[in-house]
Amino acid sequence: MSATQDKKLTDIVIGDLMISSEKVAHVQVNNPLEHALLILVKSGYSAVPVLDSSYKLVGTIGKTRILNTVLGLERFEMEKLSETPVHEAMNTDIPCLSKTDTFMEGLKVVINYPFVCIADDEGYFDGILTRRVILKQLKRDHHTFKSNT
Ligand code: 2BA
């Protein structure tokens, strides 16, 4: 049985819904962009979290930011992929929630972001909450509500 099976939306917390860190593709802050692009292309994701060497969350990196970073005046300067570390291209202006935050807080964030990173009080990465999971939960709640009326 899932952790949210019989719960009302108001009783669900982010920890019930998040994809835990072991299942999340990520890159390290000092990896070259070439490695980040490899992870993104192989996983099929547009963007993934960036962690430091102690597994603290530091940002996200996506295909568009990588391509913008290597874009020169007239061409993509692909040699920059191996020379530039992820921290020079990553996005650090990202929302972050904790496992104890509510479903509604998660819903608000995924209106503007496809996923939100989850970290503990010290910044250690716990996982991500995706738009897909939030929408699935809303659908489930809608059906439960309909069948109870
Ligand atoms: P995107 O990569 O832009 O993916 C958009 C949606 O496309 C995903 O929505 C999912 O429904 C589908 N999708 C893309 N790649 C997939 C794959 N390899 N396997 C299955 N479905 C795939 P969400 O599931 O709501 O994910 C939202 C965003 O969260 C993704 O955006 C991605 O940036 C990130 N994400 C999701 N799961 C991840 C994971 N395990 N590791 C790292 N990042 C993840």
Side-chain angles (χ1 to χ4, degrees):
M1 191 192 287
S2 90
T4 58
Q5 186 94 19
D6 298 317
K7 285 191 183 175
K8 288 188 281 182
L9 287 184
T10 46
D11 294 333
I12 294 173
V13 292
I14 304 295
D16 295 329
L17 297 175
M18 75 173 190
I19 300 174
S20 60
S21 55
E22 324 82 77
K23 294 182 188 154
V24 177
H26 73 272
V27 297
Q28 299 273 329
V29 72
N30 289 320
N31 286 155
L33 289 183
E34 188 171 32
H35 178 75
L37 193 56
L38 192 76
I39 296 289
L40 289 163
V41 170
K42 287 275 177 194
S43 67
Y45 296 122
S46 317
V48 295
V50 179
L51 308 182
D52 71 11
S53 54
S54 61
Y55 290 85
K56 285 189 177 179
L57 175 70
V58 286
T60 62
I61 187 83
K63 289 171 187 159
T64 307
R65 279 187 93 94
I66 294 177
L67 289 176
N68 267 319
T69 303
V70 301
L71 181 60
L73 281 181
E74 288 180 355
R75 65 177 187 93
F76 287 105
E77 295 164 357
M78 298 311 253
E79 61 280 6
K80 283 190 181 165
L81 283 176
S82 57
E83 295 160 3
T84 314
V86 164
H87 63 79
E88 285 185 22
M90 69 185 180
N91 182 14
T92 53
D93 184 17
I94 54 161
C96 180
L97 293 175
S98 81
K99 284 199 278 188
T100 52
D101 284 326
T102 62
F103 178 86
M104 274 304 162
E105 281 163 306
L107 173 59
K108 268 188 255 164
V109 177
V110 302
I111 291 171
N112 290 317
Y113 296 85
F115 72 99
V116 54
C117 293
I118 317 299
D120 70 13
D121 292 346
E122 293 172 67
Y124 289 103
F125 180 63
D126 281 326
I128 60 170
L129 177 72
T130 63
R131 195 178 272 166
R132 177 171 189 267
V133 167
I134 289 277
L135 289 174
K136 268 177 76 177
Q137 196 61 43
L138 277 175
K139 180 170 173 263
R140 181 182 287 184
D141 186 76
H142 174 72
H143 284 297
T144 309
F145 180 69
K146 257 198 348 194
S147 57
N148 285 338
T149 53

